[in-house]
Amino acid sequence: MSSSVLRTQARSIAPGMDISEQRIILGDCIAELEKLPAASVDLVFADPPYNLQLQGTLHRPDQSLVDAVDDEWDQFASFEAYDAFTRAWLSAVRRVMKPNAAIWVIGSYHNIFRVGAILQDLGFWILNDVVWRKNNPMPNFRGRRFTNAHETMIWASRSPESKYTFNYEALKAGNEDLQLRSDWLLPICTGGERLKDKEGKKVHPTQKPEALIARVLMSSTKRGDTVLDPFSGSGTTAAVSKRLGRSCIGIERDPEYAAASRARLKGVETLPDEALAEIPAKREAPRVAFSSVVERGLLSPGAILVDSKKKVQALVRADGTIALGPSVGSIHKMGALAQNAEACNGWTYWHMETEQGLSPIDRLREQIRIEMAAIPA
Amino acid sequence: MSSSVLRTQARSIAPGMDISEQRIILGDCIAELEKLPAASVDLVFADPPYNLQLQGTLHRPDQSLVDAVDDEWDQFASFEAYDAFTRAWLSAVRRVMKPNAAIWVIGSYHNIFRVGAILQDLGFWILNDVVWRKNNPMPNFRGRRFTNAHETMIWASRSPESKYTFNYEALKAGNEDLQLRSDWLLPICTGGERLKDKEGKKVHPTQKPEALIARVLMSSTKRGDTVLDPFSGSGTTAAVSKRLGRSCIGIERDPEYAAASRARLKGVETLPDEALAEIPAKREAPRVAFSSVVERGLLSPGAILVDSKKKVQALVRADGTIALGPSVGSIHKMGALAQNAEACNGWTYWHMETEQGLSPIDRLREQIRIEMAAIPA
DNA sequence: TCCATCGGTGAATCTACCA
DNA sequence: CTGGTAGATTCACCGATGG
């Protein structure tokens, strides 16, 4: 089965037919991953353990200088163990990722450098590192370091060739029409969102805010995609997936966390269609050949095209090419030639005279696309 | 020789006896490091090649060509080759570090994970990862990723037992009496600060802003400390070291960069004693000031602040505190002191002389706030 | 003199599809 | 696989120019 078929299947969700499904699997992450079919998930979000054992082993009171040098074996052994664990789960995850899938991993300086290096070693392709800046971080108690006010997320595709999902236009539209940056400012998870048990104690020590996961999913999944969280914890990824109409497989080895997650999921409603509809990206719109503009009579052979300043003229020909002086070629090539540029989008460069003044020929393409959309495939 | 002796020697700088010295060594970093005495430097700042792995050319939407970092020194055959290079220079650097020394390494997602993991493997102890957020990064021209708006710095001590330098009190006093966070917002190096050759071309493709290095040195060195930069480049570390009364050894293998650095150093003046004197590191000590205004150059260290009636004068210092006669502290505390009041808003109390007359320093804060507000969260 | 406009540029792993 | 072509894509700041 080719990747394009997988992609098409996953993305063909008709509005009003929300078939998204979320489940929490109780078990060891690597063992459970091996039971899942290969190439079956669109996105992975992973919040792996920071290896507290490592910190315990390495953190000791100040010692004399002479002793300081020869503790390297312990350190090496502990880091080795963490690396082996990281390689194991990342390899297992990679198997179940579709060719065009991507992964997000979150961590702190204790573990993220090892995770990042191993991601690269395994063939993942880093797309961005994204910094989660916390509005309200825990202060540094002893005044010996900077307030640890951020965590790092690595966003990587399965391979350098992956055609990963990135909802650029939607993100930009929701951000004052500015590109989203690699530093995100969000509050930590507190208050009513934080899961508590009957005694009011927090259920999970590192519950992530839903806003963080929501931005991850909105940026790099389509509706109906399948999300995998191999360290599901309190179930935030599954909960946000359900709300946003994404399917989710969460794996969690702690029965209490798994139970809390399932209870949590019952209280989550999927947002209505209108709230989930994706804005169409220009680059995903169906292609229109300039010749079809001529064929449909929206422009007649012999018509004159001009640039926006009316300094350059070109002649429309019957075969869908245009003539710029002695040169003949596509609207793009002739636009590039007119500007002495390497490339040009002819649809926006060339204009035609109308009663309302100069109008880019892209208007004609939009007209054809509207007509095409009205015809059932 | 014990670490305390080393420490005392390095730190016993009498005011008025500035013996700081900066030199640029022309040569290969590892070969030159081997010539330096062991355990001789207090801080390392390293800006190693990032191993960008760029493919083709990139144009902006207006068809202009992006001047990419495709220099020979950034080319590595593989991750393995980059790792071997990283291990080699970090090991050589570690030998010349004093037992209590620390290191800063800056990088991007291309290399920083490998650097961080190798730092840990070699026995360094990570203290923080600090994010340099750029308020004016290059956008993502193709709309395929998040704007790469930050770089990552790792701050690590030579070993877990190192008694590293951290000027907590001064930093806090210079930051509105708040602990300094792990995310720093600073502009990239442009304008007059950027070194240009006779044709107006940039001398170095990746020159770092002085404000960034200044914050690094103000946070983790004492006056008179020796700073090492094994990839000295355009000499920013040496220049800032000189300005702040720190000694510096810069190693650079490119003769043109080395020559430009030496010329640059000649134009740098060490700040006067009053601006560099350290406040006592006691919790009861008067704290104060507004370091980002100073870092951004909106006020220079040594500048004079006055109250609205010009009856009181204070001196701006490099670490963002101010001096009022014999007292040193934050703008708020010194304002209260000047008025014999319990509390004071230093931003409105203190003024500066401008061509338009007296102006409260709050104007400068407003200026910075406008810049910050322009950045989407 | 001041303001508006315009051109230049910065550590960048920056396309998709068909023949 | 390679090669050719359609066609999509930018933000903040600095300095020069011009009215």
Side-chain angles (χ1 to χ4, degrees):
Chain A
M1 190 179 278
S2 80
S3 71
S4 65
V5 173
L6 283 169
R7 189 184 181 86
T8 304
Q9 282 188 339
R11 311 302 163 97
S12 59
I13 303 298
M17 277 182 54
D18 199 328
I19 55 163
S20 87
E21 186 186 332
Q22 298 79 31
R23 60 186 163 125
I24 306 294
I25 299 173
L26 178 63
D28 172 72
C29 120
I30 293 169
E32 297 301 326
L33 282 169
E34 283 169 2
K35 299 178 194 168
L36 295 178
S40 59
V41 309
D42 297 289
L43 191 85
V44 180
F45 183 88
D47 184 9
Y50 293 179
N51 199 8
L52 299 177
Q53 178 207 350
L54 183 75
Q55 287 184 316
T57 316
L58 292 178
H59 195 67
R60 47 174 66 95
D62 292 339
Q63 293 178 351
S64 74
L65 194 65
V66 186
D67 296 336
V69 194
D70 45 61
D71 292 326
E72 285 178 7
W73 170 248
D74 268 356
Q75 299 178 22
F76 193 70
S78 300
F79 283 127
E80 281 274 286
Y82 189 78
D83 291 351
F85 163 73
T86 302
R87 260 188 295 270
W89 76 259
L90 278 175
S91 300
V93 153
R94 193 159 189 267
R95 189 188 65 87
V96 304
M97 289 170 70
K98 293 183 188 174
N100 290 328
I103 184 172
W104 291 76
V105 189
I106 184 168
S108 70
Y109 65 81
H110 304 91
N111 69 326
I112 198 67
F113 303 115
R114 315 202 75 85
V115 169
I118 291 169
L119 274 168
Q120 292 178 311
D121 289 342
L122 292 177
F124 291 93
W125 191 244
I126 299 182
L127 301 167
N128 277 117
D129 58 335
V130 172
V131 171
W132 168 31
R133 303 173 52 220
K134 301 176 187 181
N135 271 349
N136 42 358
M138 174 122 43
N140 185 281
F141 192 56
R142 298 166 58 189
R144 296 296 301 143
R145 304 183 181 193
F146 299 98
T147 302
N148 207 342
H150 75 277
E151 293 188 29
T152 300
M153 294 186 292
I154 300 174
W155 176 39
S157 59
R158 189 182 185 279
S159 81
E161 295 76 32
S162 301
K163 298 182 196 306
Y164 56 90
T165 297
F166 184 53
N167 301 319
Y168 174 77
E169 292 82 0
L171 293 170
K172 185 175 172 179
N175 189 46
E176 300 283 304
D177 288 323
L178 290 175
Q179 289 188 343
L180 215 54
R181 296 166 43 114
S182 57
D183 52 334
W184 300 356
L185 182 66
L186 294 167
I188 61 175
C189 182
T190 55
E193 189 186 322
R194 187 94 199 207
L195 294 190
K196 305 275 174 62
D197 63 16
K198 287 164 192 164
E199 288 93 44
K201 279 173 54 183
K202 56 191 177 193
V203 168
H204 194 277
T206 66
Q207 184 180 342
K208 295 292 178 291
E210 294 196 3
L212 182 73
I213 315 294
R215 191 179 287 186
V216 165
L217 296 189
M218 290 308 289
S219 70
S220 54
T221 62
K222 301 288 186 196
R223 215 177 142 193
D225 274 4
T226 296
V227 178
L228 167 70
D229 186 339
F231 308 99
S232 183
S234 56
T236 306
T237 305
V240 176
S241 292
K242 181 171 183 182
R243 186 157 57 84
L244 297 179
R246 273 74 170 161
S247 291
C248 183
I249 303 165
I251 304 176
E252 175 54 47
R253 67 176 193 182
D254 184 305
E256 288 186 26
Y257 294 164
S261 304
R262 288 169 182 151
R264 177 181 185 179
L265 273 173
K266 284 183 188 154
V268 177
E269 295 282 343
T270 300
L271 290 172
D273 269 355
E274 317 85 76
L276 290 178
E278 282 144 10
I279 69 169
K282 266 192 190 171
R283 50 166 62 90
E284 286 164 18
R287 294 197 163 212
V288 175
F290 181 66
S291 60
S292 65
V293 173
V294 182
E295 286 161 3
R296 289 170 187 239
L298 298 176
L299 269 176
S300 304
I304 300 294
L305 300 183
V306 296
D307 71 318
S308 61
K309 291 174 184 169
K310 296 194 195 183
K311 291 190 175 172
V312 184
Q313 280 200 359
L315 184 81
V316 175
R317 291 151 45 92
D319 61 358
T321 58
I322 62 174
L324 177 69
S327 305
V328 170
S330 72
I331 51 172
H332 312 296
K333 277 283 186 300
M334 293 302 100
L337 182 64
Q339 300 173 89
N340 196 23
E342 286 192 16
C344 167
N345 183 341
W347 290 108
T348 51
Y349 177 76
W350 294 110
H351 296 63
M352 56 192 176
E353 293 277 6
T354 71
E355 290 173 4
Q356 286 78 40
L358 226 48
S359 167
I361 58 175
D362 207 20
R363 295 278 163 75
L364 304 175
R365 182 169 63 162
E366 287 166 12
Q367 199 173 323
I368 291 180
R369 278 179 176 157
I370 289 166
E371 291 170 17
M372 288 170 66
I375 302 166
Chain B
M1 190 180 278
S2 80
S3 73
S4 64
V5 173
L6 284 172
R7 191 182 181 85
T8 306
Q9 282 187 337
R11 312 301 162 100
S12 59
I13 302 296
M17 275 181 56
D18 198 329
I19 54 162
S20 86
E21 187 185 332
Q22 297 79 30
R23 61 186 162 124
I24 305 294
I25 300 174
L26 177 62
D28 173 72
C29 118
I30 293 168
E32 297 302 325
L33 282 168
E34 283 169 1
K35 299 177 192 168
L36 296 178
S40 58
V41 309
D42 297 288
L43 191 85
V44 178
F45 183 88
D47 184 8
Y50 286 9
N51 190 21
L52 286 189
Q53 304 177 60
L54 301 178
Q55 306 290 340
T57 58
L58 179 64
H59 290 84
R60 297 185 180 81
D62 65 2
Q63 308 294 347
S64 65
L65 183 66
V66 174
D67 184 15
V69 178
D70 51 4
D71 304 67
E72 167 272 331
W73 48 256
D74 199 40
Q75 307 299 324
F76 293 86
S78 62
F79 283 132
E80 288 74 18
Y82 187 80
D83 291 351
F85 162 76
T86 302
R87 260 189 295 271
W89 74 259
L90 278 175
S91 300
V93 152
R94 194 160 189 265
R95 188 187 67 85
V96 304
M97 290 171 70
K98 292 182 187 175
N100 290 328
I103 184 172
W104 291 77
V105 188
I106 185 168
S108 67
Y109 66 84
H110 310 85
N111 70 323
I112 199 66
F113 303 115
R114 314 202 77 85
V115 168
I118 291 170
L119 274 169
Q120 292 176 313
D121 290 343
L122 292 177
F124 291 92
W125 189 247
I126 297 182
L127 301 168
N128 277 114
D129 57 335
V130 172
V131 171
W132 168 30
R133 302 175 51 223
K134 307 174 184 183
N135 55 12
N136 48 349
M138 196 187 310
N140 185 289
F141 296 119
R142 308 303 292 267
R144 297 299 300 150
R145 303 184 177 192
F146 299 101
T147 305
N148 202 348
H150 75 278
E151 295 188 26
T152 300
M153 294 187 292
I154 301 176
W155 176 39
S157 58
R158 189 181 184 281
S159 80
E161 294 77 25
S162 301
K163 298 183 198 305
Y164 57 90
T165 296
F166 183 53
N167 301 319
Y168 175 76
E169 303 293 343
L171 291 171
K172 188 175 172 183
N175 188 44
E176 296 281 289
D177 288 325
L178 291 174
Q179 290 188 349
L180 212 56
R181 293 167 47 112
S182 56
D183 52 335
W184 302 355
L185 181 67
L186 294 166
I188 62 176
C189 182
T190 58
E193 190 187 321
R194 189 93 197 204
L195 295 190
K196 304 277 174 60
D197 63 16
K198 287 163 192 163
E199 288 95 46
K201 278 177 54 185
K202 59 189 176 192
V203 168
H204 194 280
T206 70
Q207 185 179 341
K208 296 292 178 290
E210 293 196 4
L212 182 73
I213 314 294
R215 191 179 285 186
V216 166
L217 296 188
M218 291 307 291
S219 71
S220 53
T221 62
K222 301 287 187 196
R223 211 178 144 195
D225 274 5
T226 296
V227 178
L228 167 70
D229 187 338
F231 307 99
S232 183
S234 57
T236 306
T237 306
V240 177
S241 292
K242 181 171 183 183
R243 183 158 59 85
L244 298 179
R246 274 71 170 161
S247 290
C248 183
I249 303 166
I251 304 176
E252 175 53 46
R253 70 176 194 181
D254 184 303
E256 287 185 24
Y257 296 164
S261 304
R262 287 169 183 153
R264 176 182 186 180
L265 273 172
K266 285 184 186 152
V268 177
E269 296 281 342
T270 301
L271 289 172
D273 270 354
E274 316 85 74
L276 289 176
E278 284 145 19
I279 64 171
K282 291 179 189 169
R283 302 213 177 246
E284 297 77 21
R287 307 163 181 157
V288 197
F290 50 118
S291 59
S292 64
V293 171
V294 182
E295 283 167 358
R296 288 161 187 249
L298 298 178
L299 270 175
S300 302
I304 301 294
L305 301 182
V306 295
D307 72 325
S308 60
K309 293 173 184 170
K310 296 195 196 184
K311 290 190 175 171
V312 186
Q313 280 202 356
L315 182 83
V316 175
R317 293 150 39 87
D319 60 5
T321 58
I322 63 173
L324 177 67
S327 305
V328 169
S330 77
I331 51 173
H332 312 298
K333 294 258 164 61
M334 292 302 98
L337 183 63
Q339 302 171 91
N340 195 23
E342 283 200 358
C344 162
N345 182 345
W347 289 108
T348 52
Y349 177 75
W350 294 109
H351 294 64
M352 57 192 174
E353 291 275 6
T354 73
E355 291 173 0
Q356 287 77 39
L358 226 47
S359 165
I361 58 174
D362 209 19
R363 295 279 162 76
L364 304 176
R365 181 168 65 160
E366 287 166 10
Q367 198 170 327
I368 290 180
R369 278 185 175 154
I370 289 168
E371 290 174 19
M372 293 176 67
I375 297 170

